[in-house]
Amino acid sequence: MNLIIQSLNAVLTQQAATIQSIAQMSRAEKIVPINTNAIRLENVQCDAKILQEIQEQCLVAKLDVYHGSQHQLSDFKLVAMDMDSTLITIECIDEIADMQGLKPQVAEITEAAMRGEIEFQESLIRRVGLLKGLDASALQKVYDQRLQLSLGAENMLKQVQQAGMKTLLVSGGFTFFTDRMKSRLNLDYTHANVLEVVDDKLTGKVIGTIVDADEKKRTVEKICAELSISTQQAIVMGDGANDLKMMGIAGLSVAFRAKPVVRAQANVALNFVGLDGVLNLLYSS
């Protein structure tokens, strides 16, 4: 087993003492630089107690740490991503609600759902209901003025697309935004909820099947079947409780800036580095 440690900064120079401490604790055979911001400690010997101590030390030092085998880039054929707070920095529904002066109420429901305290379908129905009567032009305002890609998103997508992987954006958010992300980022597949609009006003309803945790999982399974690959050949990224089911069938699950319940169940948690930090877990040859 290896430990892969990453930082937003030059890890070997700015975190040298911490790296040496972890290397000794884990009885690593070798320290191998991956790049300026990431290193691999090879053939470590960590029991659960030592690993927990290392994880706590890394958290204090704002380092991301992964314990396991390093994967081959060629092991994977699909990258599936949640959108809100994963591929992008915002929760779109919260920002739409802000146009109604209802952001605090909607954000409170969003957070409870992401922590797994409310069923996602119930939370979405409640939140969308609060948007009734809002001018549909608010969606474009959110896209133009507030939507930003997460750190490392463009580099991650560039690298996986160059490696020949397909990309899927599957979201409990809305097609208004996923459609634009698909075009902007050259994604292969998207799936999200459809907001009902009548006379240029939101009705407070969603059309069709709600994209909840089960639907996200079914979508990953469906795309994998279309590509004639196993779900173990998929990397799945998410941040909230409604991502856990699709993450659970992946060959590599990535929790990005995630809630504790998600970090605890993912193969790797990226708390500090960007989405492209996943690339440091993958051998290119």
Side-chain angles (χ1 to χ4, degrees), residues 20-192:
Q20 287 298 330
S21 172
I22 292 171
Q24 292 176 359
M25 290 171 65
S26 64
R27 293 184 286 169
E29 290 185 3
K30 193 176 182 181
I31 301 175
V32 180
I34 297 173
N35 53 47
T36 304
N37 296 343
I39 59 101
R40 181 172 63 250
L41 302 181
E42 295 189 341
N43 298 322
V44 298
Q45 304 296 319
C46 295
D47 60 22
K49 181 180 178 182
I50 291 174
L51 183 58
Q52 183 177 353
E53 290 175 0
I54 289 171
Q55 290 170 336
E56 290 171 355
Q57 189 171 351
C58 285
L59 192 63
V60 170
K62 295 187 176 181
L63 298 169
D64 284 323
V65 58
Y66 166 74
H67 178 242
S69 300
Q70 198 165 3
H71 300 269
Q72 293 280 349
L73 188 63
S74 59
D75 291 341
F76 301 101
K77 305 300 180 185
L78 174 71
V79 175
M81 303 156 285
D82 173 50
M83 180 174 68
D84 294 27
S85 298
T86 300
L87 182 65
I88 64 176
T89 61
I90 63 170
E91 292 286 335
C92 289
I93 193 167
D94 294 358
E95 302 307 319
I96 297 167
D98 198 28
M99 303 291 178
Q100 286 278 63
L102 294 170
K103 185 172 182 177
Q105 296 95 309
V106 170
E108 183 179 353
I109 300 171
T110 300
E111 280 295 306
M114 294 303 98
R115 292 191 300 264
E117 297 168 4
I118 305 175
E119 287 294 332
F120 183 81
Q121 286 210 23
E122 176 193 346
S123 77
L124 187 70
I125 291 168
R126 285 170 56 185
R127 287 178 291 165
V128 171
L130 292 170
L131 305 179
K132 183 178 179 180
L134 181 64
D135 195 294
S137 64
L139 303 178
Q140 189 66 46
K141 288 181 182 177
V142 169
Y143 181 79
D144 291 339
Q145 299 175 14
R146 304 192 182 184
L147 188 149
Q148 294 183 339
L149 294 175
S150 292
L151 181 68
E154 288 184 285
N155 184 47
M156 181 273 293
L157 286 169
K158 177 183 176 182
Q159 297 297 325
V160 300
Q161 287 168 339
Q162 285 181 350
M165 292 189 209
K166 299 296 184 181
T167 50
L168 164 66
L169 184 62
V170 56
S171 173
F174 307 114
T175 54
F176 182 91
F177 301 101
T178 58
D179 288 350
R180 284 156 178 76
M181 288 292 97
K182 183 177 184 181
S183 175
R184 176 174 169 180
L185 300 172
N186 195 31
L187 305 177
D188 296 295
Y189 309 95
T190 60
H191 186 42

Side-chain angles (χ1 to χ4, degrees), residues 4 6 34-35 38 40 66 69-79 156 159-160 163 165 232-235 237 251-254 268 275-285:
I4 296 175
Q6 314 186 55
I34 297 173
N35 53 47
R40 181 172 63 250
Y66 166 74
S69 300
Q70 198 165 3
H71 300 269
Q72 293 280 349
L73 188 63
S74 59
D75 291 341
F76 301 101
K77 305 300 180 185
L78 174 71
V79 175
M156 181 273 293
Q159 297 297 325
V160 300
M165 292 189 209
Q232 289 294 300
Q233 292 174 281
I235 298 170
M237 303 175 167
L252 182 65
S253 57
V254 181
V268 59
L275 281 171
D276 51 355
V278 70
L279 302 172
N280 291 323
L281 312 181
L282 306 171
Y283 283 114
S284 59
S285 59

